[in-house]
Amino acid sequence: MNAKTYIVLIEDEKNICNFIATTLTAQGYKVSAAPNARSGLSLITSGCPDLVLLDLGLPDRDGIEIIREIRTWASIPIIVISARTQEQEKVLALDCGADDYITKPFGSSELMARIRTALRHSNRLQTGSRLNQRPYRANGLVIDFEKRLVTLNGENIHLTQIEFKIVSLLARSSGKVITYDSIISHVWGPYADDNNRILRVNMANIRRKLEQNPAEPHYIFTEIGIGYRMLEDQEG
Ligand code: CA
C-alpha cells in the first residue's frame, strides 16, 4: 500500500546526478534521472512524479523555461539545484514557480530536508486548507492564524497588522524560502514599490520582538539577496 514517493531528477553533471540518485534511493525514494530538459520533461509527463529536482544549467534548454512549462499544467513541487551563485537566477526560479532551491555543493542531509519540506507542503495543499489553519508551533513560538495571536514561551507578543501579515505568510510556508518581492506584493499589494526597505524595517521590528538576539535569528532566517525562510513548523 505504501507506494514509494517518486522523484524525477534532471541534471547533466554525472557525479551530482549519481550522488543524488544514490542518496534518494537509500532513503527509500524511487528516482528517475534525465541528463537534459527534453528527456526530463518526458519523464515528468509520463510518470506523474511527486517532486522534481531540476538543475538550472542544462545542455538543451534553460531551467527557468522548464519551470514555466511545467507550471502551465502541473503544481508538483520543484526544487532547483544549481551551481550558480547569482541570486537573480534563484529569485527568478522561485518567482516562476519553483518551490525552493539548493545550491551546489550540498550535503545529503540538506537535500533530504528540502525534499521533506516541499513534499509536506504539497501534501498539505492537497488535503485542503483546514490543516493550514492550525497554529504554527516551533521552539516555543506559537502563531494562531485564526485568533491572530502570537505567543513566545507562553507570553503574548504584540505585532502590528503588517508584522502579523509578514509573520503568518512565512509561517504558513515555514521551511521554504519566500522571495522579498512575493512578501511585498502579498503584504502591500501588487502595485507596491518594489524596494525592500520597508520590508527590512518591519523585519527588524519583528526580530526585536521574537528573537533573543536579532543578529542571530532562530525563527526567521535571511537568505541574502533572495528572501526569508522561517523555521519549519514542528508538528509537520
Ligand atoms: Ca548543469
Side-chain angles (χ1 to χ4, degrees):
M1 277 305 284
N2 204 355
K4 281 187 178 179
T5 301
Y6 178 41
I7 296 178
V8 164
L9 164 63
I10 311 176
E11 165 66 82
D12 62 326
E13 276 167 77
K14 270 223 172 76
N15 290 340
I16 294 171
C17 189
N18 289 341
F19 164 72
I20 294 176
T22 311
T23 305
L24 294 182
T25 309
Q27 296 288 326
Y29 292 100
K30 182 186 162 201
V31 187
S32 295
N36 55 50
R38 191 183 43 78
S39 48
L41 280 169
S42 97
L43 281 178
I44 294 169
T45 45
S46 62
C48 299
D50 299 294
L51 184 138
V52 174
L53 284 169
L54 173 69
D55 178 22
L56 282 186
L58 292 168
D60 53 344
R61 280 176 73 186
D62 192 89
I64 299 286
E65 270 181 52
I66 304 173
I67 298 169
R68 287 204 175 103
E69 185 167 330
I70 296 173
R71 281 293 172 260
T72 61
W73 47 267
S75 60
I76 28 167
I78 302 171
I79 299 176
V80 159
I81 35 176
S82 179
R84 301 181 202 189
T85 47
Q86 288 109 323
E87 278 72 38
Q88 276 313 311
E89 219 28 73
K90 295 172 189 164
V91 169
L92 187 59
L94 293 165
D95 286 341
C96 286
D99 293 79
D100 211 336
Y101 66 85
I102 187 161
T103 307
K104 301 174 201 173
F106 50 82
S108 54
S109 56
E110 192 185 354
L111 175 67
M112 297 315 302
R114 290 281 188 279
I115 290 175
R116 275 194 303 270
T117 300
L119 288 172
R120 203 173 292 161
H121 279 279
S122 97
N123 286 339
R124 248 184 232 174
L125 290 177
Q126 279 163 22
T127 50
S129 57
R130 282 197 64 205
L131 267 177
N132 258 332
Q133 290 303 321
R134 74 161 173 63
Y136 164 98
R137 285 173 204 279
N139 281 1
L141 179 64
V142 179
I143 300 163
D144 188 320
F145 303 112
E146 283 180 353
K147 294 183 188 149
R148 302 180 70 84
L149 270 179
V150 179
T151 58
L152 182 61
N153 300 320
E155 302 231 359
N156 264 338
I157 301 288
H158 178 74
L159 297 180
T160 65
Q161 293 268 5
I162 293 283
E163 289 164 4
F164 184 79
K165 268 190 166 181
I166 296 170
V167 168
S168 49
L169 175 70
L170 292 169
R172 282 198 160 105
S173 290
S174 69
K176 282 172 58 171
V177 66
I178 311 289
T179 62
Y180 297 126
D181 280 2
S182 90
I183 298 171
I184 289 169
S185 78
H186 180 93
V187 174
W188 286 278
Y191 305 109
D193 223 342
D194 64 348
N195 89 56
N196 296 342
R197 211 188 68 86
I198 185 163
L199 177 56
R200 283 204 311 273
V201 168
N202 275 279
M203 186 53 71
N205 291 334
I206 291 168
R207 282 180 169 151
R208 253 200 309 277
K209 296 175 185 180
L210 296 188
E211 306 280 359
Q212 255 188 358
N213 175 3
E216 266 177 54
H218 285 99
Y219 294 109
I220 301 175
F221 310 103
T222 301
E223 304 264 324
I224 295 164
I226 296 170
Y228 297 107
R229 186 193 297 273
M230 189 144 180
L231 176 66
E232 179 138 30
D233 186 328
Q234 282 159 2
E235 287 187 3

